[in-house]
């Protein structure tokens, strides 16, 4: 005969599974955001409804002359390869430690903005990916 202790164990197990599922979903969402950042850089800002400004001709010639990549935001590839995420139980931080990233994201008086973080996070929030990932994770429990 089942008693209240059995019900408590079942409820505790359900709570544990939900917490684990949320944590896994957060981690997978962070990985997804990192992959979208990589895709955006590989496409030189021509994905996720983004269109980065082209490089000025004089700057492009200078980059090529010095042996750097002609790709937009790929002078040394440091920024493109720097994206990381830190995941805690119910939250994740996705970003870059590169100090000059915000200049590219927001622009300066001499350089147009070439946003990468905002479009990726808008995509993650509007695409339904979080719900789909959660459904996949919860099915596996």
């Amino acid at each position: 005969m089942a008693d209240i202790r059995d019900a408590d164990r079942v409820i505790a197990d359900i709570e544990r599974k939900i917490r684990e599922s949320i944590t896994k979903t957060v981690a997978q969402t962070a990985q997804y955001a990192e992959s979208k950042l990589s895709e955006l850089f590989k496409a030189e800002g021509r994905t996720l409804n983004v269109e980065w400004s082209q490089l000025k001709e004089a700057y492009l010639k200078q980059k090529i002359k010095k042996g750097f990549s002609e790709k937009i935001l790929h002078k040394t590839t440091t920024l493109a390869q720097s994206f990381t995420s830190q995941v805690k139980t119910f939250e994740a931080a996705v970003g870059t430690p590169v100090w000059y990233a915000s200049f590219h994201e927001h622009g300066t008086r001499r350089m147009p903005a070439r946003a990468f973080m905002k479009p990726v996070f808008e995509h993650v929030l509007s695409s339904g990916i979080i719900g789909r990932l959660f459904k996949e994770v919860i099915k596996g429990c």
Side-chain angles (χ1 to χ4, degrees):
M1 180 191 296
D3 64 13
I4 194 71
R5 287 177 296 221
D6 292 332
D8 285 345
R9 279 192 292 273
V10 169
I11 291 169
D13 190 47
I14 291 170
E15 182 181 345
R16 180 189 56 75
K17 287 180 180 180
I18 290 172
R19 287 182 177 278
E20 288 175 2
S21 296
I22 291 171
T23 301
K24 286 179 183 177
T25 301
V26 167
Q28 288 180 5
T29 302
Q31 290 173 345
Y32 179 81
E34 283 185 60
S35 73
K36 287 298 177 185
L37 284 162
S38 292
E39 286 177 25
L40 186 59
F41 270 76
K42 286 177 185 170
E44 293 184 80
R46 291 185 301 270
T47 185
L48 300 178
N49 296 319
V50 176
E51 188 67 40
W52 287 345
S53 299
Q54 294 299 309
L55 299 175
K56 293 179 182 174
E57 194 64 37
Y59 178 66
L60 180 59
K61 287 179 183 178
Q62 177 188 14
K63 277 181 71 174
I64 293 169
K65 184 177 179 181
K66 291 184 178 182
F68 294 116
S69 172
E70 69 276 0
K71 292 183 175 183
I72 301 170
L73 296 189
H74 281 79
K75 186 172 183 178
T76 63
T77 69
T78 299
L79 180 59
Q81 296 175 1
S82 70
F83 298 106
T84 61
S85 59
Q86 294 180 334
V87 178
K88 294 185 180 177
T89 305
F90 296 135
E91 62 186 50
V94 178
T96 174
V98 174
W99 66 272
Y100 54 82
S102 65
F103 299 136
H104 291 298
E105 178 77 15
H106 303 290
T108 67
R109 64 181 172 89
R110 303 178 83 199
M111 179 175 57
R114 293 183 177 98
F116 44 89
M117 297 300 286
K118 184 178 179 181
V120 166
F121 289 124
E122 286 175 346
H123 169 74
V124 168
L125 293 174
S126 68
S127 67
I129 189 66
I130 298 170
R132 288 193 302 274
L133 288 172
F134 183 73
K135 285 178 185 175
E136 288 176 21
V137 168
I138 207 88
K139 282 181 188 176
C141 288

